[in-house]
């Protein structure tokens, strides 16, 4: 027996195997059970030995800690122990010498035992084993642990834990999988160490490459740090198997932005070794009905996310809003997300309300750097997508131009993005593509139309198909617009306001076809464009109204719609007035029974607004 | 050769094996086929023997019954037979001596052959084997039988049959499964015996435990037998793998009732050894649009049920209606259910029409025992849930209080349920939870929002999350209500009726925001509450109307709305008038073009109704 | 060494094995790689040999073609080669002698290597192997090829290619599957030969049997060639695993037509050895909202088809339109289909616009042979279904009678189809079934209700269930119609037009219950029928209108609705007038604000139309 004066008692760390146990050394163990010939003692989760009854010192209970010396390790792996009771000793932890394998290296380890340190990204209880999706610095993978059919293995291991795993790499239906022989949720320093190491590695992996923008743009260079932040957060989500929900404005600009990011994320998911099904459940894109993220939207997203969390053990998602999300109308939904610790990102070019930033992990917005909506969401989304997955550039580099003409950007970046692709797409073709997107999205309602939209945008290099399809959609869209104008234009009424502006009014519900393309807002816009052309150089306001709403378009009239709405809300009691938008383009809502009062009040205000003294004689298209 | 005078001819019962065959004995067999050296005779589905041509007495045809004596059983299991032709004999059936294994014991029989007697609960034809879901007295399990890929095995076995099964217990992708080597649909006495035994055992297992109610309540004690009947029927459905469809009123009371039962059923399904996916397809909860089970609802439910029946061999479902289902508006749907033998259960607290009971297997309703709607569906549902699965009590015991304040119960049970949970939830918190449920369900539309609703009700003991979420939802709900009142209240008109009551009218479609929370009915109620507070001690009627409907709320006016509706239907020709509700709270529908006549007629009637002489000076909240 | 003067150099065709290689012969090979002892040369995708360094003539690069003589074939299959450099030679291709197995014969080849020639009908990348669905002259089957988990095997093989496959027939989860050891996309003549052979065989297999019509009908005999063409195209789709989308009018006639074809197609899919799940994803039936195939419908169908194509490698579908599809309103959708090369078929009995035939691969329409809408879609669909799968006849032979009475056919075929089933179904029962279908479809909205509809039509021979269900639905439908008439009839206004016709007007939106059965069109029709009965022998026009539409029914007034609509469109500026239909039954749409002008113009035109001089005194039911 060793000299107890300076005895070292070893504690076998998680995953230590027989190769870490040495004869003669003393270990801390836990009494596991009793037989008539002795006492079984557990040295760690994987190893146990026997103390023959002749070698027991005192009487013990199950789960009691005792110290034991290793007398003999037999050829069959059985360990003979003797109890010792040192009075003075030092405790020392034995860490496993076995090399920790990275999840990215599993393919070369099929049929072999591996040791892993990872964090748990998903826990799915199947009717058979429990499947843990693991993430480490090098990649991700699935580990199957079985106790009993349908029973949760290692119930103490929870989503997000750092774990130590020993198992064999198997190919199951040709997918790599670790068949777990031991798993342990790390605690204290071990957990911290593994967590920190993976965290640091993921953080490093998530860092986007340094690549130049597609064009020169001072404003966008200033936005670069925030765009990198967005790209990095999205890359991390992919590396950690966190689902991504992308919600976007259902117009050509919003679609361009969102599809760019979709292409990048799906490419990255595939590069991580996942199949298409995984890409489908880890990434969902949905056009939004309203120009903001409504309480109804988050309710639906939360409903599905929680069900997936419970049923499939998925992580709660990352929510990305594009071409919307930057105004206070989004706050209620953001509050809900915060209750559930759901991170949110916004990439938008609408005038932001500062308060939204309290709820966001990142927010790219040209107004933050003194630019305006002329830097469209499609431009921003395309550059963010390139930071997420640079290889996507060639497939999406024409999106900003489509977005720019679709959203009538007047920023200098518009022309630069058009120049970038001038050999392939003329400005007119870009306009056609934008109109085709608007028209097709109208019929898609709020489905993503993933493949259709890719064909319209020509992601896959099938220009012939794109040409045929876009031309067809543009023809249909224009015919529909002509039909609508034929019905509406004769009913437009005109008056000259005190400030000299032309005011045109049209009831777009009773003098237009309903539930078809173009919808009321676009109908009003089209009417306005035509009237502007008929009155070159003159100030024009067009008011398209329905029972409980009005849409305002204007040229050369220096309105401040949000302020007018605030005033009308105060002045018209029981009008239920709300609304807003940009300064000179916007909409207003009221209760149906107060329409006359609301419109009268609005027109009265418009008539008092100053008009621009010098307008270009020819209105732009 | 045995003496034929009192010869016994044995008939081998289904599943008998070689161990039941004795040399020397005579058995009834069926000629199976011919070879040049003899005739093959089938003793039962599993055993056949050979009669050498020298031992054949007459000439036979296939499928003919003959009697054979066992001459020799060889080591390899071959049976040598000789034909006998007794003139006098007794027929005796040999039953298998092998122990019948219960489906609940399969886990301990992996790798071994078992004999089962069970009934067939589901038959699913896969592209490989046919999967039979079996149920017996001890549990349920799956048996796979294979003839040819995609071909139905044992086509003579039908859903609901009693069967005798021999097979090996296997673990397939870690699920237990019986690989069938023989299956036989029992007939006659055998079928009856197995059926009766399983029936009796299921009946006994389904019997709920005797547990006390959460509170003292004379009325609810009287309802106990019917509640037990409901609980028992639901437990049986779980034990028999019969899908359950739970439809409920989409308000706080209905949600509380339904979620209580949902928790109990899902717990029971899991306790039966099923995984979460099974729980999802065996139990579906849906809030209803209307306050009754509409023809559109049953059409949808039937469509899915029949498809699941054909495609996945599922049983037709049990339909449970909660917080609706007790009035004659439900009869058309119930008639459809009856055509398809779909059993229906109602747990409701609306005034029942007796006729519904012709269509129900059970119906819990406080009016049946002289109580009224003050015993809410949430109270009843919670107690039924506890009978289904007592272990659920702690997680749901606060539901009745939430339901009570949500439905403004004035029954004494309200306070008792509040007292029960007073340490955890104050009355105000219960009101908040009820409002949060109403608000969130509005945005969930008619999705169940399973996990969201669980969080609002705090099923999983996460009080912090509940507090944060409920507070957020209540803030949003109240802000929305304030916005609606701001728009509506200025448009309320008042008149004093001949009977002295205040009549307030408001057009809730043109003087309120549409398609948002609060909807027209709740808007009317909120207006009524505010007007009652402004006119303490006075009789008040509030009439919120739209183009083709009106919602009536009243205090202190002794109306009988159903009767008024009947009279108006008679009096106003072409008015298309229908409706109803409680005596003093209800709604009325008419065709839009007859609104003025319908409202005038209604107001005229209200003006003639007596008012209560003494009202409490202060209206309740 | 052989005499080079007339040397033959052999080129080993795809799939040739060792048995096709002969010692002494010279083969063309491709340099595959180098070792220090020699050069490896590939003789075809499966065979390679070694040229020892002593037998190499020049220096070569990888992928270079060289000629080699076979010196020795060792017992282990290794091939020793020597390079030769003939100056004069003939090239000759060696084709594999191995018997090509048909996909229909796989069941008898389990565990054996087979050689196949087939075309690729689907390519699905799983997370494990790539699954190719193959089709040949004898049937179809799946082939699994594995390179690396989730990586596309044989990426050069594309959908539609002709391929040569060598592999082992396995049973995987009891489904037959070929484990591919070699696959080669054939090119040039080989591809053409295989393609042509399969094409010819499929064409022959797809040819419908020669069976007589259920009844005698000159018109339908004339339509027989086109019906055969439709049936053949649909049969080919099944044989080639091409998905079928069947869209149809949502009334009794359209349902009958579509369900007949559904039964035939599903039977054929099953006969091909597929399971029910395959039948569900290969065949989808959807009732259409509008009486034509709208741009919204094709958008939705295209969205799903493209996603299935990308995600599951499915072929683009065949679209079949029944009881609609023959008018110019369908053209926009057809143009979209054409952009994607989606073939379309129409079986309709509406008056066709000739232009649709530019977009169709087949079009059955009674107007093409001088008959009219009295030959209903249900009659045509039933006969087409029988050509697709004759065994379906007995289950659907009563469909034409139901369709005939449902669509009020007055063609002589009506009575013949009624006579055909007179012993089982009386005319009244057929009417009941038609009404039950209309009523139930109303509540099914635009779901197919597959099993419900089968029960109403009694496809499975459960007459009792049918009787009970139909009677219930008819009772409910009639009660609903009565309720609607009670509300509407008192509001009908009458005027006598200049031409002597009675004009009845009814606002079916404000004087009828909305969003319930019967909907506005059917309500108008019911009113018209009652008014006709009240005015026997007199000309009657009924105009049921809403805010932006009017439905026209007439008797004895020789209107030409399409022409009136065209005139009104010209005459009423800003009316947005469109519409059409048959000559004397149709509908018209306008913008809500121009309703008075539109109706006035319409009535004025009706008043100038000649009326029929002699009407039967008794109107038909």
């Amino acid at each position: 027996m060793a000299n107890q004066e300076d005895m070292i008692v070893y504690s076998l760390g998680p995953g230590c195997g027989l190769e870490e146990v040495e004869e003669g050394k003393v270990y801390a163990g836990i009494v596991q059970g009793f037989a008539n010939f002795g006492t079984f003692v557990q040295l760690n989760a994987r190893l146990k030995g026997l103390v023959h009854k002749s070698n027991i010192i005192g009487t013990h209970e199950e789960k009691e800690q005792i110290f034991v010396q290793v007398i003999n390790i037999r050829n069959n792996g059985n360990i003979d122990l003797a109890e010792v009771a040192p009075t003075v000793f030092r405790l020392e932890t034995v860490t496993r010498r076995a090399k920790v394998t990275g999840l990215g290296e599993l393919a070369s380890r099929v049929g072999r035992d591996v040791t892993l340190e990872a964090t748990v990204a998903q826990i799915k209880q199947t009717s058979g084993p429990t499947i843990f999706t693991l993430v480490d610095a090098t990649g991700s993978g699935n580990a199957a642990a079985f106790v009993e059919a349908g029973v949760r293995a290692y119930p103490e291991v929870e989503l997000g834990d750092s774990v130590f795993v020993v198992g064999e790499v198997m190919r199951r239906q040709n997918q790599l999988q670790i068949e777990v022989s031991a798993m342990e949720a790390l605690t204290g320093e071990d957990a911290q160490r593994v967590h920190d190491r993976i965290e640091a590695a993921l953080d490093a992996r998530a860092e986007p490459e340094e690549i130049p923008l597609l064009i020169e743009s001072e404003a966008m260079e200033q936005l670069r740090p925030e765009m990198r932040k967005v790209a990095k957060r999205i890359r991390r989500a992919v590396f950690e198997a966190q689902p991504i929900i992308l919600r976007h404005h259902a117009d050509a600009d919003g679609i361009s932005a969102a599809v760019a990011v979709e292409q990048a994320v799906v490419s990255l998911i595939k590069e991580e070794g996942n199949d298409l099904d995984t890409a489908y459940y880890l990434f969902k894109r949905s056009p939004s009905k309203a120009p903001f993220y409504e309480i109804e939207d988050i309710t639906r997203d939360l409903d599905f996310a929680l069900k997936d969390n419970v049923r499939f053990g998925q992580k709660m998602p990352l929510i990305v809003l594009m071409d919307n999300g930057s105004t206070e109308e989004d706050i209620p939904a953001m509050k809900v997300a915060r209750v559930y610790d759901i991170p949110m990102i916004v990439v938008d070019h609408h005038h932001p309300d500062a308060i939204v930033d309290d709820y966001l992990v990142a927010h790219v917005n040209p107004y933050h750097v003194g630019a305006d909506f002329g830097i469209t969401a499609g431009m921003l989304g395309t550059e963010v997508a390139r930071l997420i997955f640079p290889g996507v550039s060639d497939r999406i580099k024409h999106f900003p131009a489509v977005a720019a003409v679709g959203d009538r950007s007047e920023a200098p970046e518009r022309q630069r993005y058009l120049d970038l692709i001038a050999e392939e797409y003329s400005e007119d073709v870009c306009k056609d593509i934008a109109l085709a997107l608007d028209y097709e999205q109208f019929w898609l309602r709020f489905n993503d139309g993933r493949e259709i939209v890719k064909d319209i945008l020509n992601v896959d290099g099938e220009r012939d198909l794109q040409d045929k399809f876009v031309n067809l959609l543009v023809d249909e869209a224009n015919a529909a617009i002509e039909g609508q104008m034929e019905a509406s234009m004769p009913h437009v009424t005109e008056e000259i306001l005190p400030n000299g502006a032309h005011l045109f009014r049209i009831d777009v519900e009773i003098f237009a076809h309903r539930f078809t393309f173009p919808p009321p807002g676009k109908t009003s816009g089209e009417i306005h464009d035509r009237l502007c052309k008929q009155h070159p150089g003159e100030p024009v306001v067009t008011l398209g109204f329905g029972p409980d709403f009005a849409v305002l378009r204007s040229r050369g009239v220096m309105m401040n719609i949000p302020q007018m709405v605030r005033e009308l809300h105060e002045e018209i009691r029981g009008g239920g007035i709300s609304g807003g938008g940009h300064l000179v383009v916007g909409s207003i809502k009221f209760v149906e029974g107060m329409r006359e009062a609301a419109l009268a009040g609005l027109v009265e205000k418009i008539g008092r607004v100053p008009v621009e003294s010098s307008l270009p004689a020819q209105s732009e298209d």
Side-chain angles (χ1 to χ4, degrees), chain A:
Chain A
M1 188 153 292
N3 170 12
Q4 292 185 15
E5 294 306 305
D6 61 329
M7 176 178 282
I8 302 171
V9 173
Y10 294 94
S11 166
L12 281 176
C16 282
L18 217 47
E19 55 280 20
E20 275 86 29
V21 181
E22 290 180 38
E23 290 180 12
K25 284 195 174 167
V26 174
Y27 296 88
I30 302 287
V31 175
Q32 192 224 18
F34 303 97
N36 55 0
F37 47 84
T39 300
F40 289 103
V41 174
Q42 196 102 38
L43 301 184
N44 71 2
R46 299 175 73 197
L47 296 172
K48 76 177 169 194
L50 175 69
V51 187
H52 190 266
K53 59 185 172 185
S54 61
N55 288 328
I56 279 286
I57 295 177
T59 58
H60 303 295
E61 292 178 354
E62 265 188 39
K63 311 232 162 168
E64 189 183 336
Q65 179 179 281
I66 64 173
F67 297 149
V68 289
Q69 190 175 31
V70 174
I71 296 174
N72 183 30
I73 300 175
R74 301 187 192 195
N75 288 339
N76 64 1
N78 284 356
I79 307 170
D80 295 331
L81 304 168
E83 189 180 1
V84 293
T87 50
V88 182
F89 60 91
R90 278 189 296 126
L91 204 60
E92 208 163 88
T93 301
V94 183
T95 51
R96 178 168 163 85
R97 293 185 213 124
K99 187 171 161 292
V100 170
T101 301
L103 285 158
E105 310 163 56
L106 293 186
S108 61
R109 295 286 192 287
V110 175
R112 287 156 68 181
D113 273 326
V114 293
T115 298
L116 302 163
E117 288 177 345
T119 56
V120 178
Q122 184 175 349
I123 304 176
K124 189 185 172 193
Q125 183 54 50
T126 71
S127 55
T130 308
I131 305 293
F132 297 84
T133 301
L134 303 177
V135 170
D136 70 9
T138 64
S140 62
N142 287 330
F146 185 75
V147 270
E148 196 178 318
V151 174
R152 171 74 142 79
Y154 304 105
E156 70 283 2
V157 174
E158 292 175 2
L159 210 58
D161 277 359
S162 294
V163 290
F164 178 93
V165 179
V166 179
E168 185 184 349
V169 182
M170 307 280 277
R171 184 160 271 156
R172 279 262 179 205
Q173 301 191 310
N174 288 318
Q175 262 199 307
L176 291 175
Q177 186 173 290
I178 301 136
E179 308 264 319
V180 176
S181 57
M183 181 182 298
E184 206 173 313
L186 299 173
T187 53
E189 273 178 37
D190 278 338
Q192 199 58 47
R193 177 182 51 80
V194 169
H195 176 267
D196 290 353
R197 198 185 56 218
I198 293 174
E199 190 63 22
L202 281 176
D203 195 72
R205 278 189 79 204
E207 195 64 53
E209 264 182 55
E210 278 295 350
I211 54 170
L213 298 177
L214 286 169
I215 58 159
E216 276 183 41
S217 161
E218 195 182 338
M220 292 177 77
E221 285 299 340
Q222 286 181 268
L223 290 170
R224 179 192 284 273
E226 196 71 6
M227 288 199 284
R228 288 183 63 86
K229 197 168 161 191
V230 167
K232 183 172 178 178
R233 186 64 191 79
I234 290 174
R235 285 171 58 87
R236 272 215 58 153
V238 171
F239 296 150
E240 295 184 283
Q242 180 180 31
I244 297 170
I245 295 172
L246 198 173
R247 289 272 194 173
H248 62 90
H249 190 186
D251 73 352
D253 185 37
I255 295 168
S256 300
V259 172
V261 169
E262 175 180 85
Q263 291 308 306
V265 170
V266 170
S267 297
L268 189 60
I269 291 174
K270 283 189 191 168
E271 200 189 49
E272 280 293 279
N274 297 293
D275 58 15
L276 208 53
D277 276 346
T278 304
Y280 267 79
Y281 81 72
L282 284 182
F283 181 86
K284 292 207 173 65
R285 175 171 71 79
S286 316
S288 289
K289 287 187 200 187
F292 53 90
Y293 190 47
E294 292 186 296
I295 193 83
E296 185 167 2
D297 296 330
I298 182 85
T299 301
R300 194 175 173 77
D301 289 342
L302 181 63
D303 184 17
F304 288 125
L306 286 172
K307 284 174 177 166
D308 286 347
N309 179 261
V310 168
R311 196 165 175 190
F312 305 115
Q314 274 188 21
K315 286 189 174 172
M316 293 299 279
L318 168 68
I319 294 177
V320 181
L321 306 181
M322 301 192 84
D323 201 15
N324 66 28
S326 62
T327 62
E328 62 182 11
E329 281 96 337
D330 301 284
I331 296 294
M334 289 177 178
K335 285 181 174 169
V336 172
R338 188 159 65 178
V339 165
Y340 280 93
D341 289 329
I342 297 172
M344 288 185 72
I345 285 173
V346 166
V347 177
D348 196 7
H349 70 136
H350 291 92
H351 194 288
D353 293 316
I355 188 175
V356 300
D357 291 313
D358 294 353
Y359 298 88
L360 301 177
V361 298
H363 179 186
V364 175
N365 195 308
Y367 287 93
H368 290 165
V369 296
D372 69 10
F373 60 88
I375 309 270
T376 72
M379 296 176 186
L380 299 168
T382 299
E383 298 293 354
V384 166
R386 295 176 61 242
L387 290 169
I388 294 170
F389 191 85
V392 84
S393 296
D394 265 4
R395 281 180 279 149
I396 63 173
K397 66 175 190 287
H398 52 301
F399 288 17
V402 171
V405 301
D407 249 31
R408 302 177 176 212
S409 163
E410 296 181 1
E413 284 79 1
R414 170 194 173 116
Q415 194 54 49
R416 292 179 204 151
Y417 277 114
L418 279 165
D419 290 346
L420 178 73
I421 50 136
E423 286 188 16
E424 289 161 82
Y425 296 97
S426 69
E427 180 162 349
D428 280 346
V429 170
C430 289
K431 279 183 189 166
D432 282 352
I433 296 173
L435 178 58
L437 285 174
D438 283 344
Y439 180 72
E440 190 69 359
Q441 187 65 60
F442 181 84
W443 297 115
L444 280 168
R445 307 299 181 193
F446 302 98
N447 297 311
D448 65 348
R450 189 183 279 209
E451 303 304 327
I452 292 181
V453 167
K454 277 167 64 181
D455 286 345
I456 295 173
L457 279 167
N458 187 22
V459 171
D460 294 331
E462 298 190 74
R463 183 63 187 268
D464 265 11
L465 175 64
Q466 180 191 35
D467 282 345
K468 274 196 285 182
F469 198 22
V470 166
N471 288 341
L472 169 59
L473 295 174
V474 165
D475 286 351
E476 295 293 331
N478 282 330
I481 291 168
E482 275 317 306
Q484 195 71 297
M485 290 306 106
E486 199 190 328
S488 300
M489 289 298 286
H491 304 288
V492 175
T493 62
E494 173 175 12
E495 61 201 282
I496 304 294
L497 297 181
N499 58 1
H502 295 263
L503 174 75
F504 295 103
R505 301 199 203 203
I506 173 73
D507 186 327
V508 288
E509 288 243 330
I510 73 167
F511 293 123
H513 302 288
R514 298 175 65 182
F515 310 120
T516 191
F517 183 91
K522 193 170 178 76
T523 298
S524 301
E526 191 70 28
I527 291 171
H528 177 67
D529 289 348
R530 295 184 180 211
L531 294 167
C532 282
K533 278 195 189 149
Q534 290 172 17
H535 299 82
E538 295 175 76
V540 170
V541 178
T542 306
L543 188 59
F545 58 90
D548 57 2
F549 70 89
V551 178
L552 267 170
R553 303 284 163 119
S554 68
R555 182 187 66 187
V557 183
M558 298 160 79
M559 300 195 291
N560 181 333
I561 296 177
Q563 190 190 320
M564 291 196 298
V565 168
R566 276 193 299 274
E567 290 172 13
L568 288 170
H569 180 88
E570 292 309 311
E571 292 162 14
I572 301 182
R573 195 168 152 265
I577 289 168
S578 65
H582 298 288
L583 290 181
V584 298
V585 175
S587 65
I588 167 170
K589 294 177 83 175
F590 34 79
V591 295
E592 185 173 339
M594 292 297 279
R595 178 169 78 173
E596 293 320 310
L599 293 184
L602 181 64
V603 168
E604 198 269 341
K605 280 183 198 301
I606 297 171
R608 282 191 278 127
V609 160
V611 300
E612 283 180 41
S613 47
S614 69
L615 273 175
Q618 185 58 45
S619 108
E620 72 116 17
D621 179 71

